[in-house]
Amino acid sequence: MRSMKGEVVLKIPAEKAWEMYRDNEIISKINPDMLQGAEYIHGDGSPGSLRLFRLGPVVRDYVKESMEQIEKVETGRSVTYRVIGGDLKDMYDPYKVTFTFLPIKGKEHEECIAEWKAEFEPITSETPAPHKARDAALGFLKSFEKFELSY
């Protein structure tokens, strides 16, 4: 299986970034141009739960929506999910992503590293690696710090 990852430094604590990522109401307000809405279709965010993401106009030409099944949760730290429906499922099988929020040593109450990691297999040899998905995810994560100031 192939893999790709990226990370951004956020000027908010890891605990706050984690709360924002896991809360459907908050995550849906962070940057509606990138993510218009998120909801748990089944479950509460624990392993086995299904979460639907409806993407915004900035990324809609690439991915309109993504249905994800949560596989693993390390509370306060990371969540791993497998895409089971939507546009990414038509490009990759499997497609698994882990979002991780790590405190920065010595700045635990001020900053964190938000990491995105994907494991994937393109369905065809012409399917490119998910650079657009990585860049969109990291851009969205970076917008957490602007939103955090407002709530």
Side-chain angles (χ1 to χ4, degrees):
M1 189 153 11
R2 300 175 196 193
S3 67
M4 172 185 289
K5 68 186 212 177
E7 63 183 41
V8 292
V9 173
L10 301 180
K11 296 186 184 323
I12 57 174
E15 180 181 322
K16 181 63 84 176
W18 170 259
E19 290 171 10
M20 293 168 71
Y21 182 79
R22 300 287 285 168
D23 186 303
N24 288 330
E25 189 175 327
I26 293 171
I27 200 170
S28 298
K29 293 177 183 175
I30 292 172
N31 187 340
D33 286 339
M34 294 186 85
L35 177 68
Q36 287 193 326
E39 65 179 297
Y40 291 109
I41 302 297
H42 171 76
D44 58 2
S46 58
S49 297
L50 298 179
R51 194 176 193 193
L52 176 65
F53 285 101
R54 287 184 201 82
L55 287 297
V58 170
V59 292
R60 204 174 278 143
D61 63 329
Y62 179 59
V63 174
K64 292 174 186 59
E65 67 178 33
S66 181
M67 176 67 78
E68 303 164 356
Q69 182 172 31
I70 296 172
E71 293 193 337
K72 181 179 176 186
V73 176
E74 290 181 51
T75 302
R77 182 182 169 102
S78 72
V79 61
T80 301
Y81 64 82
R82 180 171 49 92
V83 173
I84 61 168
D87 304 297
L88 289 169
K89 181 73 174 161
D90 296 337
M91 294 182 261
Y92 311 98
D93 192 18
Y95 187 84
K96 291 170 81 167
V97 171
T98 301
F99 283 94
T100 306
F101 301 95
L102 303 167
I104 294 179
K105 193 169 175 88
K107 295 183 177 182
E108 292 88 346
H109 302 289
E110 304 160 31
E111 296 182 359
C112 70
I113 295 171
E115 181 182 275
W116 174 94
K117 180 182 178 192
E119 296 174 275
F120 60 94
E121 273 307 322
I123 289 181
T124 70
S125 58
E126 291 81 37
T127 303
H131 295 286
K132 284 184 181 179
R134 178 199 58 205
D135 295 347
L138 295 176
F140 182 73
L141 289 168
K142 194 67 180 161
S143 61
F144 277 38
E145 58 190 20
K146 291 180 188 134
F147 183 81
E148 194 272 339
L149 299 173
S150 67
Y151 99 99

CSV table of all heavy atoms in Angstrom, one decimal, residues 51-110:
chain,number,residue,atom,x,y,z
A,51,ARG,N,-19.2,8.7,9.4
A,51,ARG,CA,-19.3,10.1,9.4
A,51,ARG,C,-19.3,10.6,7.9
A,51,ARG,O,-18.4,10.2,7.2
A,51,ARG,CB,-18.1,10.7,10.1
A,51,ARG,CG,-18.2,12.2,10.5
A,51,ARG,CD,-17.0,12.7,11.3
A,51,ARG,NE,-17.2,14.0,11.9
A,51,ARG,CZ,-16.3,14.7,12.4
A,51,ARG,NH1,-15.0,14.3,12.4
A,51,ARG,NH2,-16.6,15.9,12.9
A,52,LEU,N,-20.2,11.5,7.6
A,52,LEU,CA,-20.3,12.0,6.3
A,52,LEU,C,-19.8,13.4,6.3
A,52,LEU,O,-20.2,14.3,7.1
A,52,LEU,CB,-21.8,12.0,5.8
A,52,LEU,CG,-22.1,12.6,4.5
A,52,LEU,CD1,-21.4,11.8,3.3
A,52,LEU,CD2,-23.6,12.7,4.2
A,53,PHE,N,-18.9,13.7,5.3
A,53,PHE,CA,-18.4,15.1,5.1
A,53,PHE,C,-18.9,15.6,3.8
A,53,PHE,O,-18.7,14.9,2.7
A,53,PHE,CB,-16.8,15.1,5.1
A,53,PHE,CG,-16.2,14.9,6.4
A,53,PHE,CD1,-15.7,13.7,6.8
A,53,PHE,CD2,-16.1,16.0,7.2
A,53,PHE,CE1,-15.1,13.6,8.1
A,53,PHE,CE2,-15.5,15.9,8.5
A,53,PHE,CZ,-15.0,14.7,8.9
A,54,ARG,N,-19.5,16.7,3.8
A,54,ARG,CA,-19.9,17.4,2.5
A,54,ARG,C,-19.0,18.6,2.3
A,54,ARG,O,-18.9,19.5,3.1
A,54,ARG,CB,-21.4,17.9,2.6
A,54,ARG,CG,-22.4,16.8,2.6
A,54,ARG,CD,-23.8,17.4,2.6
A,54,ARG,NE,-24.7,16.4,3.1
A,54,ARG,CZ,-25.0,16.0,4.4
A,54,ARG,NH1,-24.4,16.7,5.3
A,54,ARG,NH2,-25.8,15.1,4.7
A,55,LEU,N,-18.2,18.5,1.2
A,55,LEU,CA,-17.2,19.4,0.9
A,55,LEU,C,-17.8,20.7,0.3
A,55,LEU,O,-18.9,20.7,-0.3
A,55,LEU,CB,-16.1,18.8,0.0
A,55,LEU,CG,-15.2,17.8,0.6
A,55,LEU,CD1,-14.4,18.4,1.7
A,55,LEU,CD2,-15.9,16.5,1.1
A,56,GLY,N,-17.0,21.8,0.5
A,56,GLY,CA,-17.4,23.1,0.0
A,56,GLY,C,-17.0,23.4,-1.4
A,56,GLY,O,-16.3,22.6,-2.1
A,57,PRO,N,-17.3,24.6,-1.9
A,57,PRO,CA,-17.1,24.9,-3.3
A,57,PRO,C,-15.6,25.0,-3.7
A,57,PRO,O,-15.2,24.7,-4.9
A,57,PRO,CB,-17.7,26.3,-3.5
A,57,PRO,CG,-18.0,26.8,-2.1
A,57,PRO,CD,-18.1,25.6,-1.2
A,58,VAL,N,-14.7,25.2,-2.8
A,58,VAL,CA,-13.3,25.3,-3.1
A,58,VAL,C,-12.7,23.9,-3.5
A,58,VAL,O,-11.8,23.9,-4.4
A,58,VAL,CB,-12.5,25.9,-1.9
A,58,VAL,CG1,-11.0,25.7,-2.1
A,58,VAL,CG2,-12.9,27.3,-1.6
A,59,VAL,N,-13.3,22.9,-3.0
A,59,VAL,CA,-12.7,21.5,-3.4
A,59,VAL,C,-13.8,20.6,-4.1
A,59,VAL,O,-13.5,19.5,-4.4
A,59,VAL,CB,-12.2,20.8,-2.1
A,59,VAL,CG1,-11.0,21.5,-1.5
A,59,VAL,CG2,-13.3,20.7,-1.0
A,60,ARG,N,-14.9,21.2,-4.3
A,60,ARG,CA,-16.0,20.4,-4.9
A,60,ARG,C,-15.7,19.8,-6.3
A,60,ARG,O,-16.2,18.8,-6.7
A,60,ARG,CB,-17.3,21.2,-5.0
A,60,ARG,CG,-18.5,20.3,-5.0
A,60,ARG,CD,-19.8,21.0,-4.9
A,60,ARG,NE,-20.1,21.3,-3.5
A,60,ARG,CZ,-20.6,22.4,-3.1
A,60,ARG,NH1,-21.0,23.4,-3.9
A,60,ARG,NH2,-20.9,22.6,-1.8
A,61,ASP,N,-14.8,20.5,-7.1
A,61,ASP,CA,-14.4,19.9,-8.4
A,61,ASP,C,-13.6,18.6,-8.2
A,61,ASP,O,-13.5,17.9,-9.2
A,61,ASP,CB,-13.7,21.0,-9.2
A,61,ASP,CG,-12.4,21.4,-8.6
A,61,ASP,OD1,-12.2,21.4,-7.4
A,61,ASP,OD2,-11.4,21.7,-9.4
A,62,TYR,N,-13.0,18.4,-7.0
A,62,TYR,CA,-12.2,17.2,-6.8
A,62,TYR,C,-13.1,16.2,-6.0
A,62,TYR,O,-13.1,15.0,-6.4
A,62,TYR,CB,-11.0,17.6,-6.0
A,62,TYR,CG,-10.1,16.5,-5.6
A,62,TYR,CD1,-9.5,15.7,-6.6
A,62,TYR,CD2,-9.7,16.2,-4.3
A,62,TYR,CE1,-8.7,14.6,-6.3
A,62,TYR,CE2,-8.9,15.2,-4.0
A,62,TYR,CZ,-8.3,14.4,-5.0
A,62,TYR,OH,-7.5,13.4,-4.6
A,63,VAL,N,-13.6,16.6,-4.9
A,63,VAL,CA,-14.4,15.7,-4.0
A,63,VAL,C,-15.7,16.5,-3.6
A,63,VAL,O,-15.6,17.6,-3.0
A,63,VAL,CB,-13.6,15.2,-2.8
A,63,VAL,CG1,-14.5,14.4,-1.9
A,63,VAL,CG2,-12.4,14.4,-3.2
A,64,LYS,N,-16.9,15.9,-3.8
A,64,LYS,CA,-18.1,16.5,-3.3
A,64,LYS,C,-18.5,16.1,-1.9
A,64,LYS,O,-18.9,16.8,-1.1
A,64,LYS,CB,-19.2,16.2,-4.3
A,64,LYS,CG,-19.1,16.8,-5.7
A,64,LYS,CD,-20.1,16.4,-6.6
A,64,LYS,CE,-19.9,16.9,-8.0
A,64,LYS,NZ,-18.6,16.5,-8.6
A,65,GLU,N,-18.3,14.8,-1.7
A,65,GLU,CA,-18.6,14.2,-0.3
A,65,GLU,C,-17.8,13.0,-0.1
A,65,GLU,O,-17.3,12.4,-1.0
A,65,GLU,CB,-20.1,14.0,-0.1
A,65,GLU,CG,-20.7,12.9,-0.9
A,65,GLU,CD,-22.2,12.7,-0.5
A,65,GLU,OE1,-22.9,13.7,-0.2
A,65,GLU,OE2,-22.7,11.6,-0.6
A,66,SER,N,-17.7,12.7,1.2
A,66,SER,CA,-16.9,11.5,1.6
A,66,SER,C,-17.6,10.8,2.8
A,66,SER,O,-17.8,11.5,3.8
A,66,SER,CB,-15.5,12.0,2.0
A,66,SER,OG,-14.7,10.9,2.3
A,67,MET,N,-17.9,9.6,2.6
A,67,MET,CA,-18.5,8.8,3.7
A,67,MET,C,-17.3,8.0,4.3
A,67,MET,O,-16.6,7.3,3.6
A,67,MET,CB,-19.5,7.8,3.2
A,67,MET,CG,-20.1,6.9,4.3
A,67,MET,SD,-21.0,7.7,5.6
A,67,MET,CE,-22.6,8.0,4.7
A,68,GLU,N,-17.2,8.1,5.6
A,68,GLU,CA,-16.0,7.5,6.3
A,68,GLU,C,-16.4,6.6,7.5
A,68,GLU,O,-17.3,7.0,8.2
A,68,GLU,CB,-15.1,8.7,6.8
A,68,GLU,CG,-14.7,9.6,5.7
A,68,GLU,CD,-14.1,10.9,6.1
A,68,GLU,OE1,-14.1,11.2,7.3
A,68,GLU,OE2,-13.7,11.6,5.3
A,69,GLN,N,-15.8,5.5,7.6
A,69,GLN,CA,-16.0,4.6,8.7
A,69,GLN,C,-14.8,4.7,9.6
A,69,GLN,O,-13.7,4.5,9.2
A,69,GLN,CB,-16.2,3.2,8.3
A,69,GLN,CG,-16.5,2.3,9.4
A,69,GLN,CD,-16.8,0.9,9.0
A,69,GLN,OE1,-16.4,0.4,8.0
A,69,GLN,NE2,-17.7,0.2,9.8
A,70,ILE,N,-15.0,5.1,10.9
A,70,ILE,CA,-14.0,5.3,11.8
A,70,ILE,C,-13.5,3.9,12.3
A,70,ILE,O,-14.2,3.1,12.6
A,70,ILE,CB,-14.4,6.1,13.0
A,70,ILE,CG1,-14.8,7.6,12.5
A,70,ILE,CG2,-13.4,6.2,14.1
A,70,ILE,CD1,-15.5,8.4,13.5
A,71,GLU,N,-12.1,3.8,12.2
A,71,GLU,CA,-11.5,2.5,12.5
A,71,GLU,C,-10.8,2.5,13.9
A,71,GLU,O,-10.8,1.5,14.6
A,71,GLU,CB,-10.5,2.1,11.4
A,71,GLU,CG,-11.2,1.8,10.1
A,71,GLU,CD,-10.2,1.1,9.2
A,71,GLU,OE1,-9.0,1.2,9.3
A,71,GLU,OE2,-10.8,0.4,8.3
A,72,LYS,N,-10.2,3.6,14.2
A,72,LYS,CA,-9.4,3.7,15.4
A,72,LYS,C,-9.4,5.1,16.0
A,72,LYS,O,-9.4,6.1,15.2
A,72,LYS,CB,-8.0,3.3,15.1
A,72,LYS,CG,-7.0,3.3,16.3
A,72,LYS,CD,-5.6,2.8,15.9
A,72,LYS,CE,-4.7,2.9,17.1
A,72,LYS,NZ,-3.3,2.6,16.7
A,73,VAL,N,-9.6,5.2,17.3
A,73,VAL,CA,-9.6,6.5,18.0
A,73,VAL,C,-8.6,6.4,19.1
A,73,VAL,O,-8.7,5.6,20.0
A,73,VAL,CB,-11.0,6.9,18.5
A,73,VAL,CG1,-10.9,8.2,19.2
A,73,VAL,CG2,-12.0,7.0,17.3
A,74,GLU,N,-7.7,7.4,19.2
A,74,GLU,CA,-6.8,7.6,20.4
A,74,GLU,C,-7.3,8.9,20.9
A,74,GLU,O,-6.9,10.0,20.4
A,74,GLU,CB,-5.4,7.6,20.0
A,74,GLU,CG,-4.8,6.3,19.6
A,74,GLU,CD,-3.3,6.4,19.3
A,74,GLU,OE1,-2.5,6.9,20.1
A,74,GLU,OE2,-2.9,6.0,18.2
A,75,THR,N,-8.2,8.9,21.9
A,75,THR,CA,-8.9,10.1,22.4
A,75,THR,C,-7.9,11.2,22.7
A,75,THR,O,-6.9,11.0,23.4
A,75,THR,CB,-9.7,9.7,23.7
A,75,THR,OG1,-10.6,8.7,23.3
A,75,THR,CG2,-10.4,10.9,24.2
A,76,GLY,N,-8.2,12.4,22.2
A,76,GLY,CA,-7.4,13.5,22.4
A,76,GLY,C,-6.2,13.6,21.6
A,76,GLY,O,-5.4,14.5,21.6
A,77,ARG,N,-6.0,12.6,20.7
A,77,ARG,CA,-4.8,12.5,19.9
A,77,ARG,C,-5.0,12.3,18.4
A,77,ARG,O,-4.5,13.0,17.6
A,77,ARG,CB,-3.9,11.5,20.5
A,77,ARG,CG,-2.5,11.3,19.8
A,77,ARG,CD,-1.7,10.2,20.4
A,77,ARG,NE,-0.6,9.9,19.6
A,77,ARG,CZ,0.6,10.3,19.9
A,77,ARG,NH1,0.9,11.0,20.9
A,77,ARG,NH2,1.6,10.0,19.1
A,78,SER,N,-5.6,11.2,18.1
A,78,SER,CA,-5.8,10.8,16.6
A,78,SER,C,-7.0,10.0,16.3
A,78,SER,O,-7.6,9.4,17.2
A,78,SER,CB,-4.5,10.1,16.1
A,78,SER,OG,-4.5,8.8,16.6
A,79,VAL,N,-7.4,10.1,15.1
A,79,VAL,CA,-8.5,9.3,14.6
A,79,VAL,C,-8.1,8.8,13.2
A,79,VAL,O,-7.6,9.5,12.4
A,79,VAL,CB,-9.9,10.1,14.5
A,79,VAL,CG1,-9.7,11.3,13.6
A,79,VAL,CG2,-11.0,9.2,14.1
A,80,THR,N,-8.5,7.5,13.0
A,80,THR,CA,-8.2,6.9,11.7
A,80,THR,C,-9.5,6.4,11.1
A,80,THR,O,-10.3,5.8,11.8
A,80,THR,CB,-7.3,5.6,11.8
A,80,THR,OG1,-6.0,6.1,12.4
A,80,THR,CG2,-7.0,5.0,10.5
A,81,TYR,N,-9.7,6.7,9.8
A,81,TYR,CA,-10.9,6.3,9.2
A,81,TYR,C,-10.6,5.7,7.8
A,81,TYR,O,-9.6,6.0,7.2
A,81,TYR,CB,-12.0,7.4,9.1
A,81,TYR,CG,-11.5,8.6,8.2
A,81,TYR,CD1,-11.7,8.5,6.8
A,81,TYR,CD2,-11.0,9.7,8.8
A,81,TYR,CE1,-11.3,9.6,6.0
A,81,TYR,CE2,-10.6,10.8,8.0
A,81,TYR,CZ,-10.7,10.7,6.6
A,81,TYR,OH,-10.3,11.8,5.8
A,82,ARG,N,-11.6,4.9,7.3
A,82,ARG,CA,-11.5,4.4,5.9
A,82,ARG,C,-12.7,4.9,5.1
A,82,ARG,O,-13.8,5.0,5.6
A,82,ARG,CB,-11.6,2.8,6.0
A,82,ARG,CG,-11.6,2.1,4.7
A,82,ARG,CD,-11.5,0.6,4.9
A,82,ARG,NE,-12.5,0.1,5.8
A,82,ARG,CZ,-13.7,-0.3,5.5
A,82,ARG,NH1,-14.0,-0.3,4.2
A,82,ARG,NH2,-14.5,-0.8,6.4
A,83,VAL,N,-12.3,5.5,4.0
A,83,VAL,CA,-13.4,6.0,3.1
A,83,VAL,C,-14.2,4.8,2.5
A,83,VAL,O,-13.6,3.9,1.9
A,83,VAL,CB,-12.8,6.9,2.0
A,83,VAL,CG1,-13.9,7.3,1.0
A,83,VAL,CG2,-12.1,8.1,2.6
A,84,ILE,N,-15.5,4.9,2.7
A,84,ILE,CA,-16.3,3.8,2.2
A,84,ILE,C,-17.3,4.2,1.1
A,84,ILE,O,-18.0,3.4,0.6
A,84,ILE,CB,-17.1,3.0,3.3
A,84,ILE,CG1,-18.0,4.0,4.1
A,84,ILE,CG2,-16.1,2.4,4.3
A,84,ILE,CD1,-19.0,3.3,5.0
A,85,GLY,N,-17.4,5.5,0.9
A,85,GLY,CA,-18.3,6.1,-0.1
A,85,GLY,C,-17.9,7.5,-0.6
A,85,GLY,O,-17.2,8.2,0.2
A,86,GLY,N,-18.3,7.9,-1.7
A,86,GLY,CA,-18.0,9.2,-2.2
A,86,GLY,C,-16.9,9.2,-3.3
A,86,GLY,O,-16.5,8.1,-3.8
A,87,ASP,N,-16.5,10.3,-3.7
A,87,ASP,CA,-15.6,10.5,-4.8
A,87,ASP,C,-14.2,9.8,-4.6
A,87,ASP,O,-13.7,9.2,-5.6
A,87,ASP,CB,-15.4,12.0,-5.2
A,87,ASP,CG,-16.7,12.6,-5.4
A,87,ASP,OD1,-17.4,12.3,-6.4
A,87,ASP,OD2,-17.1,13.5,-4.7
A,88,LEU,N,-13.7,9.9,-3.4
A,88,LEU,CA,-12.4,9.3,-3.2
A,88,LEU,C,-12.4,7.8,-3.4
A,88,LEU,O,-11.5,7.2,-3.8
A,88,LEU,CB,-11.8,9.7,-1.8
A,88,LEU,CG,-11.4,11.1,-1.6
A,88,LEU,CD1,-11.2,11.4,-0.2
A,88,LEU,CD2,-10.2,11.4,-2.5
A,89,LYS,N,-13.5,7.2,-3.0
A,89,LYS,CA,-13.7,5.7,-3.1
A,89,LYS,C,-13.7,5.3,-4.6
A,89,LYS,O,-13.3,4.2,-4.9
A,89,LYS,CB,-15.0,5.3,-2.5
A,89,LYS,CG,-15.3,3.8,-2.5
A,89,LYS,CD,-14.4,3.1,-1.6
A,89,LYS,CE,-14.9,1.6,-1.5
A,89,LYS,NZ,-13.8,0.8,-1.0
A,90,ASP,N,-14.1,6.2,-5.5
A,90,ASP,CA,-14.0,5.9,-6.9
A,90,ASP,C,-12.6,6.0,-7.5
A,90,ASP,O,-12.3,5.6,-8.6
A,90,ASP,CB,-14.9,6.9,-7.7
A,90,ASP,CG,-16.4,6.7,-7.3
A,90,ASP,OD1,-16.8,5.6,-6.8
A,90,ASP,OD2,-17.1,7.7,-7.5
A,91,MET,N,-11.7,6.7,-6.7
A,91,MET,CA,-10.3,6.8,-7.2
A,91,MET,C,-9.3,5.9,-6.5
A,91,MET,O,-8.3,5.5,-7.1
A,91,MET,CB,-9.8,8.3,-6.9
A,91,MET,CG,-10.6,9.3,-7.7
A,91,MET,SD,-9.9,11.0,-7.4
A,91,MET,CE,-11.2,11.6,-6.2
A,92,TYR,N,-9.6,5.5,-5.2
A,92,TYR,CA,-8.7,4.7,-4.5
A,92,TYR,C,-9.4,3.6,-3.7
A,92,TYR,O,-10.5,3.9,-3.2
A,92,TYR,CB,-7.9,5.6,-3.4
A,92,TYR,CG,-7.3,6.8,-4.0
A,92,TYR,CD1,-8.0,8.0,-3.9
A,92,TYR,CD2,-6.1,6.8,-4.7
A,92,TYR,CE1,-7.4,9.2,-4.5
A,92,TYR,CE2,-5.6,7.9,-5.3
A,92,TYR,CZ,-6.2,9.1,-5.1
A,92,TYR,OH,-5.7,10.2,-5.7
A,93,ASP,N,-8.8,2.5,-3.6
A,93,ASP,CA,-9.4,1.4,-2.8
A,93,ASP,C,-8.3,0.5,-2.3
A,93,ASP,O,-7.7,-0.2,-3.2
A,93,ASP,CB,-10.4,0.6,-3.6
A,93,ASP,CG,-11.3,-0.3,-2.7
A,93,ASP,OD1,-11.2,-0.1,-1.4
A,93,ASP,OD2,-11.9,-1.2,-3.2
A,94,PRO,N,-7.9,0.5,-1.1
A,94,PRO,CA,-8.5,1.3,0.0
A,94,PRO,C,-8.0,2.7,0.0
A,94,PRO,O,-7.0,3.0,-0.6
A,94,PRO,CB,-8.1,0.5,1.3
A,94,PRO,CG,-6.7,0.0,0.9
A,94,PRO,CD,-6.8,-0.4,-0.6
A,95,TYR,N,-8.6,3.5,0.9
A,95,TYR,CA,-8.2,4.9,1.2
A,95,TYR,C,-8.4,5.1,2.7
A,95,TYR,O,-9.6,5.2,3.1
A,95,TYR,CB,-8.9,5.9,0.3
A,95,TYR,CG,-8.4,7.3,0.4
A,95,TYR,CD1,-7.3,7.7,-0.3
A,95,TYR,CD2,-9.0,8.2,1.3
A,95,TYR,CE1,-6.8,9.0,-0.2
A,95,TYR,CE2,-8.5,9.5,1.4
A,95,TYR,CZ,-7.4,9.9,0.7
A,95,TYR,OH,-6.9,11.2,0.8
A,96,LYS,N,-7.3,5.1,3.4
A,96,LYS,CA,-7.4,5.3,4.9
A,96,LYS,C,-6.7,6.6,5.2
A,96,LYS,O,-5.6,6.8,4.7
A,96,LYS,CB,-6.8,4.1,5.6
A,96,LYS,CG,-7.6,2.9,5.5
A,96,LYS,CD,-6.8,1.7,6.0
A,96,LYS,CE,-6.9,1.6,7.5
A,96,LYS,NZ,-6.4,0.3,8.1
A,97,VAL,N,-7.2,7.4,6.2
A,97,VAL,CA,-6.6,8.6,6.6
A,97,VAL,C,-6.5,8.6,8.1
A,97,VAL,O,-7.5,8.2,8.8
A,97,VAL,CB,-7.3,9.8,6.0
A,97,VAL,CG1,-6.8,11.1,6.7
A,97,VAL,CG2,-7.2,9.9,4.5
A,98,THR,N,-5.4,9.2,8.6
A,98,THR,CA,-5.3,9.4,10.1
A,98,THR,C,-5.0,10.9,10.3
A,98,THR,O,-4.1,11.4,9.6
A,98,THR,CB,-4.2,8.6,10.7
A,98,THR,OG1,-4.4,7.2,10.5
A,98,THR,CG2,-4.0,8.8,12.2
A,99,PHE,N,-5.8,11.5,11.1
A,99,PHE,CA,-5.5,12.9,11.6
A,99,PHE,C,-5.0,12.8,13.0
A,99,PHE,O,-5.6,12.1,13.8
A,99,PHE,CB,-6.8,13.7,11.6
A,99,PHE,CG,-7.2,14.2,10.2
A,99,PHE,CD1,-8.2,13.5,9.5
A,99,PHE,CD2,-6.7,15.4,9.7
A,99,PHE,CE1,-8.6,13.9,8.2
A,99,PHE,CE2,-7.1,15.8,8.4
A,99,PHE,CZ,-8.1,15.1,7.7
A,100,THR,N,-3.8,13.4,13.2
A,100,THR,CA,-3.2,13.4,14.5
A,100,THR,C,-2.9,14.8,15.0
A,100,THR,O,-2.5,15.6,14.2
A,100,THR,CB,-1.9,12.6,14.5
A,100,THR,OG1,-2.2,11.3,13.9
A,100,THR,CG2,-1.3,12.4,15.9
A,101,PHE,N,-3.1,15.1,16.3
A,101,PHE,CA,-2.9,16.4,16.9
A,101,PHE,C,-1.9,16.2,18.0
A,101,PHE,O,-2.2,15.5,19.0
A,101,PHE,CB,-4.2,17.0,17.4
A,101,PHE,CG,-5.2,17.2,16.3
A,101,PHE,CD1,-6.2,16.2,16.0
A,101,PHE,CD2,-5.1,18.3,15.4
A,101,PHE,CE1,-7.1,16.3,15.0
A,101,PHE,CE2,-6.0,18.4,14.4
A,101,PHE,CZ,-7.0,17.4,14.2
A,102,LEU,N,-0.7,16.7,17.8
A,102,LEU,CA,0.4,16.5,18.8
A,102,LEU,C,0.9,17.8,19.4
A,102,LEU,O,1.2,18.7,18.7
A,102,LEU,CB,1.6,15.9,18.1
A,102,LEU,CG,1.4,14.6,17.3
A,102,LEU,CD1,2.6,14.3,16.4
A,102,LEU,CD2,1.2,13.4,18.3
A,103,PRO,N,0.9,17.8,20.8
A,103,PRO,CA,1.4,19.0,21.5
A,103,PRO,C,2.8,19.3,21.1
A,103,PRO,O,3.6,18.3,20.9
A,103,PRO,CB,1.2,18.7,22.9
A,103,PRO,CG,0.3,17.5,23.0
A,103,PRO,CD,0.5,16.8,21.7
A,104,ILE,N,3.2,20.5,21.0
A,104,ILE,CA,4.6,20.9,20.8
A,104,ILE,C,5.3,21.0,22.2
A,104,ILE,O,4.8,21.8,23.0
A,104,ILE,CB,4.8,22.1,20.0
A,104,ILE,CG1,4.2,21.9,18.5
A,104,ILE,CG2,6.2,22.6,19.9
A,104,ILE,CD1,4.3,23.0,17.6
A,105,LYS,N,6.3,20.2,22.4
A,105,LYS,CA,7.0,20.2,23.7
A,105,LYS,C,7.5,21.6,24.1
A,105,LYS,O,8.1,22.4,23.3
A,105,LYS,CB,8.2,19.3,23.6
A,105,LYS,CG,8.8,19.0,25.0
A,105,LYS,CD,9.9,17.9,24.8
A,105,LYS,CE,10.5,17.6,26.2
A,105,LYS,NZ,9.9,16.7,27.0
A,106,GLY,N,7.1,22.0,25.3
A,106,GLY,CA,7.4,23.3,25.8
A,106,GLY,C,6.4,24.4,25.4
A,106,GLY,O,6.4,25.5,26.0
A,107,LYS,N,5.5,24.1,24.5
A,107,LYS,CA,4.4,25.0,24.1
A,107,LYS,C,3.1,24.3,24.1
A,107,LYS,O,2.2,24.6,23.3
A,107,LYS,CB,4.7,25.5,22.7
A,107,LYS,CG,6.0,26.4,22.6
A,107,LYS,CD,6.2,26.9,21.2
A,107,LYS,CE,7.4,27.8,21.1
A,107,LYS,NZ,7.5,28.4,19.8
A,108,GLU,N,2.9,23.3,24.9
A,108,GLU,CA,1.7,22.5,24.9
A,108,GLU,C,0.4,23.2,25.0
A,108,GLU,O,-0.6,22.8,24.5
A,108,GLU,CB,1.8,21.5,26.1
A,108,GLU,CG,2.8,20.4,26.0
A,108,GLU,CD,4.2,20.9,26.6
A,108,GLU,OE1,4.4,22.1,26.9
A,108,GLU,OE2,5.0,20.0,26.8
A,109,HIS,N,0.4,24.4,25.7
A,109,HIS,CA,-0.8,25.2,25.9
A,109,HIS,C,-1.0,26.2,24.8
A,109,HIS,O,-1.9,27.0,24.9
A,109,HIS,CB,-0.8,25.8,27.3
A,109,HIS,CG,-0.7,24.8,28.4
A,109,HIS,ND1,-1.8,24.0,28.7
A,109,HIS,CD2,0.3,24.5,29.2
A,109,HIS,CE1,-1.4,23.2,29.7
A,109,HIS,NE2,-0.1,23.5,30.0
A,110,GLU,N,-0.1,26.2,23.8
A,110,GLU,CA,-0.1,27.3,22.8
A,110,GLU,C,-0.1,26.8,21.3
A,110,GLU,O,-0.8,27.4,20.5
A,110,GLU,CB,1.1,28.2,22.9
A,110,GLU,CG,1.3,28.8,24.3
A,110,GLU,CD,2.8,29.2,24.5
A,110,GLU,OE1,3.4,29.6,23.5
A,110,GLU,OE2,3.2,29.2,25.6
